[in-house]
Amino acid sequence: MEAEAVSRRGFWAMPLLLLTATPSGAAAQRADDSVQIVLKFAKRGSPGGPVARFDPASCPACTPVSTPLFNADNPRETVVALRVPRRRTLELGFTGPKGAVRRVILSGGDIPFRPVAGGVLVQLPPVASDAITAAEVATHIVEPGMVLRFEHADPARRAGAYATGVFPDLQRRAADTLEFAQREVVRRLGLGEEVERLGLGRIQIMGFDTNAPHGHSDAPPHIHMHLRWPSDTGTQIGHFYIGPDGLLSHNIVGVKNGDGSVRRYGRGEVFTTIGPDGRAVYSHRITPEGWLEIGRPGAAPCRIRPDGSAGFQTGGRVDCPDGSSTRIAVADDLAGTLTVVSGGVTELFRYDPDTGALLSPAAAPPPPPSVFFGPETRAPGPVPNPASEQ
């Protein structure tokens, strides 16, 4: 099965999964020249019920969106989806309890608002294309050739497939471990630097959302590590499913912008990710025990196993062919601090609990202009905002 994924022609002959087609240019614009937006109204205190309801009199050209899970209300926030005129500066009215709105968020940042009698007025900037990600609460950790999207699974925001029943806390903690264990393997094998140097795209490591932002129900619980090709021309997306024991059961693979079909890899079977030039980049294999192996094709892999007798929810360990063994432990307090232990190193990531945006510095300030920039000290350029898998 590994050989089937080595050549580009061979891989695209495999059953593929259509996750999302990404329109571009004129095809992305509606005939009425409007765009869809999602606004998050962060609550002050603990008001019961929604703190913002759209007032259509404030914008007759705007219409509410009724798509399931695009609108939401929970103890943390009220989420409102609208279709608005494209590239227009608007002031939108929302009714609600006095003083109940603390912030208004569009995409990943704040936009101005002011209280008025009976609600708030929101100053919407010109929006050129759909902006629907405000309900996501994830922290992006960017490294060379790689981005890790860490989802903050707050039970207060539970929605979609996770709205009722037992909250998947065990599986989410297992996903936390596996995300950072995969990051450790990417570092150990130099995979991020390689895909960046060769122009193969960017490795994306993700877990799963429990708050169904913009309809992304993301169930059952799983993790990802996929290679998004340049310009989003293709993404081989593996979904490594986590069982109630905190171990991996199987992998469902497909390709974004593919033909809509899927392929299942069970325990013991190898799935190889390829680059846009057809080369094999790295392979994944769920072991018979439900552990995970990641390696370069043809070379001995690193193995990710639980750190103990239970599943990955209690932590993990990364064992690599060089004889190294690194313990991985992850703790998220849901209030703005993510703690990651990798061997003898403890990292603290500070984040905005309303959006998940990383608040800790992501790069050291550059040295003064009189200092020579060598290969390791070159001033970094702007880092593009990682696109999420939807």
Side-chain angles (χ1 to χ4, degrees), residues 176-229:
D176 297 349
T177 299
L178 286 160
E179 284 191 65
F180 279 95
Q182 289 187 111
R183 172 210 191 205
E184 188 69 19
V185 174
V186 169
R187 286 182 157 207
R188 295 247 170 215
L189 300 183
L191 294 174
E193 290 88 348
E194 178 176 318
V195 300
E196 186 170 272
R197 183 179 70 254
L198 298 177
L200 302 179
R202 174 170 284 180
I203 295 170
Q204 296 196 306
I205 295 172
M206 301 178 180
F208 65 99
D209 290 310
T210 56
N211 56 319
H214 49 85
H216 188 226
S217 61
D218 224 9
H222 57 280
I223 60 165
H224 316 74
M225 176 176 151
H226 51 271
L227 178 64
R228 190 178 295 277
W229 290 355

Side-chain angles (χ1 to χ4, degrees), residues 303-315:
R303 172 170 286 189
I304 302 171
R305 58 182 172 88
D307 185 33
S309 59
F312 287 105
Q313 68 273 17
T314 60

Side-chain angles (χ1 to χ4, degrees), residues 79-348:
V79 178
V80 178
L82 299 171
R83 185 160 286 280
V84 302
R86 182 172 176 266
R87 287 183 175 167
R88 302 288 185 177
T89 299
L90 305 171
E91 195 161 83
L92 307 179
F94 295 84
T95 59
K98 181 179 180 180
V101 175
R102 181 167 47 84
R103 303 172 66 181
V104 179
I105 295 162
L106 174 69
S107 294
D110 292 79
I111 57 174
F113 74 98
R114 69 178 190 275
V116 295
V120 295
L121 285 177
V122 174
Q123 299 172 38
L124 186 73
V127 180
S129 58
D130 289 353
I132 62 170
T133 61
E136 292 185 6
V137 185
T139 298
H140 291 87
I141 299 170
V142 180
E143 299 187 2
M146 186 206 79
V147 59
L148 185 153
R149 190 190 83 157
F150 186 88
E151 304 82 5
H152 301 284
D154 187 347
R157 293 185 170 101
R158 62 187 300 178
Y162 305 109
T164 59
V166 177
F167 189 72
D169 180 66
L170 183 150
Q171 292 95 326
R172 184 58 248 185
R173 285 186 285 117
D176 297 349
T177 299
L178 286 160
E179 284 191 65
F180 279 95
Q182 289 187 111
R183 172 210 191 205
E184 188 69 19
V185 174
V186 169
R187 286 182 157 207
R188 295 247 170 215
L189 300 183
L191 294 174
E193 290 88 348
E194 178 176 318
V195 300
E196 186 170 272
R197 183 179 70 254
L198 298 177
L200 302 179
R202 174 170 284 180
I203 295 170
Q204 296 196 306
I205 295 172
M206 301 178 180
F208 65 99
D209 290 310
T210 56
N211 56 319
H214 49 85
H216 188 226
S217 61
D218 224 9
H222 57 280
I223 60 165
H224 316 74
M225 176 176 151
H226 51 271
L227 178 64
R228 190 178 295 277
W229 290 355
S231 302
D232 204 21
T233 52
T235 306
Q236 303 137 65
I237 302 178
H239 300 74
F240 298 86
Y241 288 94
I242 304 170
D245 56 1
L247 299 171
L248 297 172
S249 58
H250 64 286
N251 176 19
I252 299 292
V253 178
V255 173
K256 184 175 180 179
N257 301 336
D259 69 356
S261 50
V262 299
R263 178 160 184 170
R264 186 185 193 276
Y265 290 82
R267 289 182 174 181
E269 297 183 298
V270 177
F271 164 63
T272 299
T273 292
I274 64 168
D277 59 357
R279 79 178 67 200
V281 183
Y282 55 81
S283 298
H284 279 76
R285 174 180 175 267
I286 301 175
T287 72
E289 301 91 345
W291 306 348
L292 185 62
E293 292 180 342
I294 306 173
R296 297 176 182 274
C302 291
R303 172 170 286 189
I304 302 171
R305 58 182 172 88
D307 185 33
S309 59
F312 287 105
Q313 68 273 17
T314 60
R317 191 165 287 274
V318 175
D319 300 326
C320 286
D322 61 3
S324 63
S325 183
T326 306
R327 177 176 174 266
I328 304 294
V330 183
D332 180 15
D333 69 359
L334 299 179
T337 304
L338 172 64
T339 304
V340 180
V341 176
S342 303
V345 178
T346 298
E347 296 176 274
L348 292 177

Side-chain angles (χ1 to χ4, degrees), residues 35-109:
V35 295
Q36 188 166 305
I37 66 167
V38 171
L39 297 174
K40 176 190 288 186
F41 296 81
K43 295 180 178 181
R44 176 178 284 111
S46 302
V51 296
R53 300 179 188 276
F54 175 60
D55 178 6
S58 67
C59 179
C62 302
T63 56
V65 171
S66 59
T67 306
L69 299 177
F70 270 68
N71 300 276
D73 183 69
N74 59 58
R76 302 276 188 261
E77 60 248 343
T78 297
V79 178
V80 178
L82 299 171
R83 185 160 286 280
V84 302
R86 182 172 176 266
R87 287 183 175 167
R88 302 288 185 177
T89 299
L90 305 171
E91 195 161 83
L92 307 179
F94 295 84
T95 59
K98 181 179 180 180
V101 175
R102 181 167 47 84
R103 303 172 66 181
V104 179
I105 295 162
L106 174 69
S107 294

